Amino acid sequence: MSTTTTIPAPGNLIGGAWQPAISGQTFENRNPADTDDLVAHHAASDDRDLDAAFAAASEAFPAWRRTPGIARGNILYRAAEILASRVEAIARELTREEGKTLKEATGETMRAVAILRYFAGETAQPHGEHYPSASPTTMLYTLREPLGVITIITPWNFPIAIPAWKLVPALAYGNAVVIKPASDAPLCTIRLAECLVDAGLPAGVLNVVTGSASALGDRLVTDERSVAVSFTGSDATGKHIRDLAGAHGKKVQLELGGKNPAIVLADADMDHALTQVINGAMMSTGQKCTATSRAIVDRHIVAEFTERLAQKIGALTVGNGLDGATQVGPLINAKAADSVAEQVEQARGEGTELLVGGRRLDGDHARGHFVAPALFNDVSPSSRLGQDELFGPVLGVIPVDGMDEAISVANNVRYGLSASLFTRDLTRAMRFVQEIQAGIVHVNSETAGAEPQVPFGGYKGSSSYSREQGKAAREFFTQIKTVYLDPSPS
Ligand code: UN1
């Protein structure tokens, strides 16, 4: 399906102007479902482009911070309407550059619209608190003020939603931004930035710089004009950013991996649990930090549940996301597909039973990075498969004896992003909510998903204890000023 033409990408956005990299270099981006489909060329930036972007952001920040929140919100609201009018076109580009199905891409683009609308509204919310003072004449209150220039580094797996959920609150609260989207899928960030520019965002308030992490990574974090770094991505990069940003005195927000459990108790509605567990594991080809990777199932029902899981997972249609019949798209690139297939082999080598899938697909699928959705049986909770994040369409079943063992297995990993429980028993549901070590907890729904009005983030190794989205976004993107205001004594 390589019938679409290469998109002339506008390059970097710096100081309000779209421009090529100073070096003139570009890199190409191909459709992961069909590598004959050259999606776009992008600017291969280096330090000089970043230098210009940080300079533009620093220059734009003072006027933007003085712009009333309501006026900033009006721009975000206009951007939401512009993006809403472009959803169909952008969703197709999202599918071409990232691979997820058109249905998911459309949902994700609509999520970016919802984020813009939500934070447009937040700009009209109170942004401080009034306190009683020990002094009879003092008006004592707090203000939330922007931090300054923020560095945002985003992953390829939600190429419009994650840039939106970081940069929109950053802008709403009066910060200026330099964003570097992942080089596997930078186009959607460019499209989002175009909506903001068309909505009247002043020049320099948002700067987009594309290029490789190795060329730009450290400078993005260490440039002294940036005061904070928000990052979503791999554990290894996150730790590097945390150390580097910490050494430079920056505020840091990290969203990292997950090894999310779905516990299925014997009294669960099995049809519903099957659908939700499969959606959680296989949508976005399992490439999300909120994906379900462990089905922890009560031994009384595990045989039937596993058999039905295998049957349904084996029947999933894998292909190009632009094809309406496709249920599971490709992995993002060849390296990712090879790595998932290798980890599957490794687990088999360690004696874990593979019930279905797990191979690189060839034949009709040879031009893309496809791996057949995989299901493992009877996974040992302490094995690599039971502990490590694969970031692919791979689910492992872990049988347990009841609720206590289920919770203990669920918690016994280094991550704690999201977790699900399937039951009809309210008492057990409430105990699960209390005992599970996860930042996002679902009862009778899949582990993935993120509504813009509530906090998003994990426990333990999944996050840096800060939260994104909703009112929680304000914690990261603002600082508090305490004001003691007295009339002059004369
Ligand atoms: C979702 O579950 O819909 O990088 C969003 C990730 C997460 C986003 C998940 N930060 O996969």
Side-chain angles (χ1 to χ4, degrees):
M1 200 186 277
S2 60
T3 50
T4 22
T5 50
T6 302
I7 295 156
N12 290 328
L13 175 65
I14 297 177
W18 293 100
Q19 52 196 264
I22 291 168
S23 68
Q25 299 292 305
T26 59
F27 64 93
E28 58 177 39
N29 189 238
R30 289 179 181 270
N31 183 338
D34 178 358
T35 50
D36 288 350
D37 178 15
L38 176 56
V39 179
H41 292 281
H42 295 287
S45 312
D46 60 29
D47 274 2
R48 291 169 294 172
D49 305 289
L50 273 186
D51 187 48
F54 282 118
S58 307
E59 203 185 314
F61 172 63
W64 185 241
R65 81 177 270 280
R66 282 194 294 269
T67 302
I70 304 280
R72 295 196 294 257
N74 287 341
I75 293 172
L76 299 180
Y77 197 78
R78 267 200 302 279
E81 298 314 291
I82 293 168
L83 180 57
S85 74
R86 298 176 187 173
V87 163
E88 212 174 305
I90 293 176
R92 288 189 76 79
E93 291 180 347
L94 198 166
T95 294
R96 275 182 79 197
E97 76 164 351
E98 198 272 345
K100 67 181 64 175
T101 64
L102 194 53
K103 185 171 168 226
E104 289 179 276
T106 305
E108 185 187 331
T109 311
M110 285 309 298
R111 192 192 283 194
V113 172
I115 290 165
L116 281 159
R117 288 184 180 143
Y118 174 81
F119 284 104
E122 273 298 311
T123 62
Q125 292 300 309
H127 63 291
E129 287 168 336
H130 184 252
Y131 293 82
S133 167
S135 147
T137 57
T138 302
M139 185 156 120
L140 184 53
Y141 63 101
T142 59
L143 293 171
R144 289 275 180 171
E145 297 207 325
L147 300 173
V149 176
I150 314 259
T151 295
I152 295 176
I153 305 172
T154 51
W156 45 262
N157 64 335
F158 284 85
I160 196 157
I162 294 180
W165 87 35
K166 291 182 189 294
L167 73 83
V168 173
L171 299 176
Y173 296 121
N175 301 282
V177 168
V178 174
I179 181 169
K180 190 201 94 64
S183 41
D184 273 318
L187 185 59
C188 287
T189 298
I190 290 168
R191 295 299 185 229
L192 177 63
E194 286 171 345
C195 294
L196 285 153
V197 169
D198 291 351
L201 191 72
V205 169
L206 172 64
N207 303 274
V208 181
V209 180
T210 59
S212 74
S214 54
L216 303 172
D218 284 4
R219 177 64 183 272
L220 274 161
V221 177
T222 58
D223 192 289
E224 64 189 19
R225 288 162 290 188
S226 148
V227 296
V229 183
S230 177
F231 168 80
T232 295
S234 74
D235 290 5
T237 308
K239 285 189 183 105
H240 176 68
I241 288 176
R242 184 195 59 202
D243 294 347
L244 200 57
H248 285 77
K250 309 278 172 82
K251 192 172 186 184
V252 197
Q253 178 178 57
L254 304 174
E255 287 301 332
L256 307 172
K259 189 71 192 171
N260 309 301
I263 297 175
V264 186
L265 297 182
D267 73 333
D269 177 328
M270 192 180 284
D271 289 341
H272 177 70
L274 280 164
T275 308
Q276 292 292 307
V277 169
I278 292 170
N279 285 348
M282 302 302 170
M283 296 299 96
S284 306
T285 321
Q287 301 174 109
K288 47 188 168 194
C289 54
T290 48
T292 305
S293 57
R294 298 179 294 156
I296 300 175
V297 186
D298 191 291
R299 228 176 266 282
H300 290 99
I301 55 161
V302 73
E304 185 189 350
F305 191 79
T306 308
E307 193 190 319
R308 292 182 63 191
L309 263 184
Q311 189 271 325
K312 283 177 182 287
I313 289 173
L316 290 169
T317 306
V318 179
N320 189 321
L322 292 176
D323 181 341
T326 295
Q327 292 170 292
V328 179
L331 278 295
I332 188 66
N333 55 36
K335 197 170 153 225
D338 288 343
S339 153
V340 169
E342 257 169 50
Q343 291 177 80
V344 166
E345 274 317 302
Q346 221 165 56
R348 288 184 70 189
E350 286 166 9
T352 315
E353 185 190 3
L354 179 65
L355 294 174
V356 65
R359 283 171 304 100
R360 288 289 306 259
L361 293 175
D362 41 29
D364 286 354
H365 293 87
R367 292 206 312 270
H369 313 300
F370 293 99
V371 173
L375 179 68
F376 278 97
N377 194 18
D378 211 357
V379 172
S380 154
S382 59
S383 65
R384 278 186 281 186
L385 188 60
Q387 292 286 320
D388 296 344
E389 185 183 47
L390 265 88
F391 226 64
V394 180
L395 176 66
V397 174
I398 303 178
V400 286
D401 288 311
M403 176 81 173
D404 288 344
E405 190 185 353
I407 289 185
S408 140
V409 166
N411 283 341
N412 196 15
V413 291
R414 63 184 177 281
Y415 297 111
L417 185 55
S418 62
S420 294
L421 174 74
F422 293 88
T423 185
R424 290 185 169 99
D425 181 333
L426 184 59
T427 307
R428 287 203 177 99
M430 289 177 78
R431 226 179 89 223
F432 166 76
V433 170
Q434 220 164 42
E435 298 300 325
I436 195 78
Q437 295 162 3
I440 303 156
V441 175
H442 292 258
V443 176
N444 293 318
S445 58
E446 60 164 302
T447 54
E451 296 197 32
Q453 70 278 19
V454 286
F456 179 95
Y459 280 23
K460 302 195 283 189
S462 291
S463 288
S464 53
Y465 297 99
S466 68
R467 292 289 181 270
E468 303 192 87
Q469 301 206 88
K471 297 222 180 287
R474 199 177 70 161
E475 297 300 320
F476 184 72
F477 290 112
T478 65
Q479 56 193 331
I480 296 172
K481 183 178 274 175
T482 305
V483 183
Y484 293 80
L485 183 64
D486 272 281
S488 167
S490 58

